[in-house]
Amino acid sequence: MRVALPKGRLLSDTAALLDRAGWQLNDYQPKARLYRLTSAKFPELSAKMLHEKDIPIQVAIGNYDLGICGADWVEELVSRYRLSSLVKVRVLGYGHGALYAASAAGDGVTSLADLSRRADKVRLASEYPNLAEQLAIQLRLKNYAVYPLWGSAEAYPPETAEVVILPRKSAGELVLKGLKVLSKVLDFKAVLIANRESLASKDLSAAISSILANLPPAVEFNEDAPPKTVAALEAYHEYAPDVVRLALPDGHQQPHVRKILDAAGIGIEDYPSDRGFRRPKSDLEGFAIKTIRPQDMPIQVANGNFDLAITGWDWLTDHLHQFPASPVKRLLDLKYGWVRIVAVVANEVPVTNAVELKEYFRNRNLRVASEYINIADEYARNNHFGRYRIAPTWGSTEAYLPEDADLLIENTETGGTIARHNLRIIDTLFESTACVIGNTRAADNPVKRKRMEALVERLGKALDQAK
Amino acid sequence: MTQERCRGCRDLIPEQMLKFRLAESVFIDTALKWGYEEVRTPTLEYLHLFTATGTLTPGMLGQVFSFLDWDGWSGERVVMRPDGTIPIARLYTDSLTDREVARLFYVVNTFLFEEKPGSGRERWQCGAELIGGSGPLADAELARMALETLELLGLEGRIKISHSGVIQAVLAQLEPSPEARHKLFDDILDGNESVMSRLAESNPELLAGLKTLLGVTGTSSNYLSNLRSLFGYSVELEAAAGDFAATLDTLDDVGVPYEIDLASGRGFEYYTGVIFHLSVNGATVGGGGRYDNLIALMGGPSRAAAGFALYLDELMKFIDMAEYEMEEPDRFLVNFQPGDEARAFAVATDLRDADYTAEIKLGDPDVMDYDWVLNITEDGLLVLSDTETDEEFEFETVEELVEMLGGEASEE
C-alpha cells in the first residue's frame, strides 16, 4: 500500500491525525531529510512526503493508492481533467482555507458581473489556472487570458492582471493587501483521496478506517467580516509609458539581489519587506518595482507586464523552449545562484548517458519528472526517447525516483542531495546563474530604453568591481 | 510492435473511406444543385472566437482542445475547431458581407474531448449555412435539403423540430436568467432529481405542463395552440409561438414531414428560432437551426442566418455499399521484365489515358484482384490475359488493345 502525505501547510495536522491513528511513522515531521516513510503499525505501507499540489496527480496516475492534500488541489485537477481514476474518500475536517477571486481595490471593478460585460481582454492570474479558466467560462467572459503562476498572485492586480484567484484563510487577509474580494470560488479543507483502481482491488480498509476513526472534531469556521476601508494600491498603470517596470524576486534570493543593488549604489526601501509588501521604493528615477516569483518572470516580461526582471537563466531557458519566438533576452549575467541543470536516474538503473537510457527504456514508457517541463520535454525530444511522459512537480523532485519516475531533470549545486537519495547524474544539460532579463520590444520608447540600459550598466559595473 | 492510435480517434480504412466519400459527394452534389458554394475554414481558431459570441455552452468550452499559441506568452490561446458554424460566421463577417444572401457549405472535422468513452474526439460533418435568408422559407429550404441528401443516400431521414424561443419563453416563467435557463432545460431533460423536486415544490403546475409538453410530440401547428393553453399568455411566448407556427406552416406547404418535439432542442442556446434534429432509424445523424444573432455578435451586419450539419461518422453506419452499383473501370496489372520499366510506365500511362486503372506489378499480387494482366514480353509485344477466362490476346500497341476492348473503360 502506497500513501502520499503532504509537506508544508497540512503537515503538522496530518501528522497529529496519523499519530492518533497509531500509524507510528518513522520521520513525518517538518524538517525530515528523507521523503520515504514507514509505519510500524502497517509494515506493508510505504509513504512519501510530497508537495501538496503533486498529490492528486500522483494518486490519479496510480503511483499511490491513498493521498492526503487540500481539496483545492484536487478541484484544480478535476475541473480540467475528468479524472475518473481519482476518488474523494472523505473531507478530513482540518486545513481550512478558501479560494477567492479578487481584484485591486479602487480599480473600478465591483463584481464578477462587471467583468462579464467587458469586451476587452480580461487577464486572470493564478496558481490555479484550471479553476481560473473554469471561472472565465462560467462568467462567459468574452475574451480572456489565463496566466499560470508559481505564486505571489496578490502582487499582480491591477497592472498585470485584472483578477487573481488565490487561497487565504479569510477575506480579511486579502483586504489588508489592498485587494477587493469579488467572490469566494471554493471553500476547502484537507481531504483523503484514493486511486479508484486501488479502491476496487486492494484492501486499504485498515488504513482508511484508522484515519476516519481518529478525525479531529469538526471546527465551525467563522470568517471575520473583512475590514471596510482600505487604501487602493499605487498602480503602475498611472505611470507614463517611459517608466521602466522592474520585477525583483521574492523569497530566498532577496538578500543576494539586495547586495547587488547596494553594491551598485541603488537605494531601495522595504526589500526584503518584513511586512510582506511587494512594492519596494527605490531612488531610481522612472522605475516602478514589484516583487514576484522568479519562475513567473519570463512570461510576465514577454507579455509586456514588466520590462526588466531578475530571475534564473534556468527559468528563462524553460520559457524560451516553450516559446522560441519570445521577445525576452538575457541582458546581464549576475553570476550568483550558480546551479547545474542535470539529468538524474536511480543508482540501480545501469546507464551512464542519454543514449544508454534511450536503449534501456526502448519500447517502455519513460516517466520523466521535473519542475522544468519544457526543458525536460526538449531533452527527451532531442535525445529521441521513445514514448515518454512528463509529470510536472512542484519541488522535492528527487523524492520521485525510482518508484514514481525513471528520470529527473533537476537543478543541483553540489550534487549532495542527489547522492544522498541514492541517485546518479548521467548528464549535465547546462549551467544556470541569476540574470537580468528584458523585453526587447520595450526598447521602443527611447527614454525607457536609456533607463533600462543605464540600470543594466550600473549593475554590470558593480559586479566588475566586486571581482 | 503495433503503435497505439490516439484515444478517441479513428482511422478510415479503404472500405470505410468509400462510404465516407459517397456520403460526402452526395451532400456536395445536393448542395451545389441548391446553389450553395463550398468554403473551408482553418482547423485552428482563436479561443476568443468561441467565447466572445457566448454561443458555446460552458460545458462545451470545457471540452475543447485548446493550447497556447506560438506567442502564448501573450496569453493568446488557440483551439482546434470545436464547431462548424461559428467559423463560417467569422468567414462571412471577414469576407462576404457584401452578399445579402450567402449560401455556403463545407465538409470539415470538428474536435471535442469525448463526453464518454467510445464517443469520438474528431467528428466529420457536412454543413450548410444560409446567411441572410430570413424566416420560414429559409428554414424550409434547409430542412428540405437535409432530407433530400439523406434520401439520395437511400436513407429515411426524420426531422424533429423544436424552437429555442418557445423553450426560453416557457422557462422564463421558472427562471429569470436566460443563461440559467439553458442549464435548467438540460437538467429537466436529464430528469435531474434535485432540480425536479425543487420545481415540483415551487411551480407544480408549470412543471406538470412542461413534462406534458416534453413528453408529447406533435405533428401540426395545433400543438402550439395547446402550448398556449398549458402555459397561459405571455408576450414572449406569443411571439415565439407565432414564429414557430409560421415555419411549421411553410414546412407543411412545401411538403416536409416533421415531428414537433420540444425536448429535441437540447443544447439550444446556440439558436434563436427553430431547431432541427435529424435522425435515421432513431439515431441522430444531424441537426441545425436558426441563429439570427451570431453574425452581428461577431461584429458583422445584422443578418438572419440558419444552417444544418450532417454527421458523417453517424451516416456512414447506415450506408451499405452493396446497395450501390459502383461503376469501376477495368483494372490492369502491368507485368514486365527487368530493364523494361520505362516501357511499363508508358504502357500504364496509355491505359490510364484510356480511362482504365493500371498498376505496375510490385511484389507478388493476386492476379484475381485484376480484370486483366498485361505482360510486356522481351521483344516488346503486349500479351493481354483475361483473369477470368485465361484467354490471351497479343498486341503491338496499347491503341490496338483499347480498340479491341471497344474503348470502354468500364464494365457494364
Side-chain angles (χ1 to χ4, degrees), chain A residues 156 166 380 431 450:
Chain A
Y156 285 74
L166 69 182
E431 294 176 6
K450 270 210 178 67

Side-chain angles (χ1 to χ4, degrees), chain A residues 404-421:
Chain A
D404 313 322
D406 308 302
L407 175 73
L408 309 179
I409 303 297
E410 208 12 347
N411 68 48
T412 182
E413 207 171 339
T414 61
T417 311
I418 288 172
R420 202 172 61 242
H421 286 87

Side-chain angles (χ1 to χ4, degrees), chain A residues 404-441:
Chain A
D404 313 322
D406 308 302
L407 175 73
L408 309 179
I409 303 297
E410 208 12 347
N411 68 48
T412 182
E413 207 171 339
T414 61
T417 311
I418 288 172
R420 202 172 61 242
H421 286 87
N422 196 23
L423 313 175
R424 191 156 37 86
I425 294 170
I426 58 162
D427 202 353
T428 296
L429 283 61
F430 61 92
E431 294 176 6
S432 169
T433 47
C435 56
V436 179
I437 63 170
N439 185 326
T440 50
R441 292 180 194 163

Side-chain angles (χ1 to χ4, degrees), chain B residues 334-365:
Chain B
V334 179
N335 195 8
F336 58 96
Q337 308 296 322
D340 259 353
E341 288 82 359
R343 178 83 202 281
F345 265 84
V347 166
T349 302
D350 287 343
L351 286 169
R352 292 185 201 114
D353 286 347
D355 288 335
Y356 294 107
T357 298
E359 291 175 31
I360 301 282
K361 186 178 173 187
L362 287 174
D364 189 17

Side-chain angles (χ1 to χ4, degrees), chain A residues 18-46:
Chain A
L18 298 177
D19 203 34
R20 287 195 302 275
W23 282 33
Q24 300 173 54
L25 292 169
N26 56 333
D27 194 22
Y28 185 39
Q29 51 172 330
K31 291 268 186 271
R33 283 172 64 88
L34 290 174
Y35 305 112
R36 275 178 199 71
L37 306 169
T38 52
S39 158
K41 179 173 179 171
F42 302 112
E44 299 298 294
L45 180 146
S46 73

Side-chain angles (χ1 to χ4, degrees), chain A residues 133 140 142 147 302-303 387, chain B residues 4 51-52 73-74 77 269:
Chain A
E133 171 137 30
R140 295 176 167 249
K142 294 181 175 61
Y147 295 114
N303 67 35
R387 188 166 187 178
Chain B
E4 242 180 290
T51 51
W73 68 79
S74 63
R77 297 269 297 275
E269 66 185 295

Side-chain angles (χ1 to χ4, degrees), chain A residues 25 58 60 66-67 175 178 209 245 265 294 298 306 377 383 395 423 431 457:
Chain A
L25 292 169
Q58 290 294 323
L66 295 173
V175 174
S209 57
R245 292 151 313 157
F306 293 93
D377 195 28
N383 284 294
L423 313 175
E431 294 176 6
E457 199 177 325

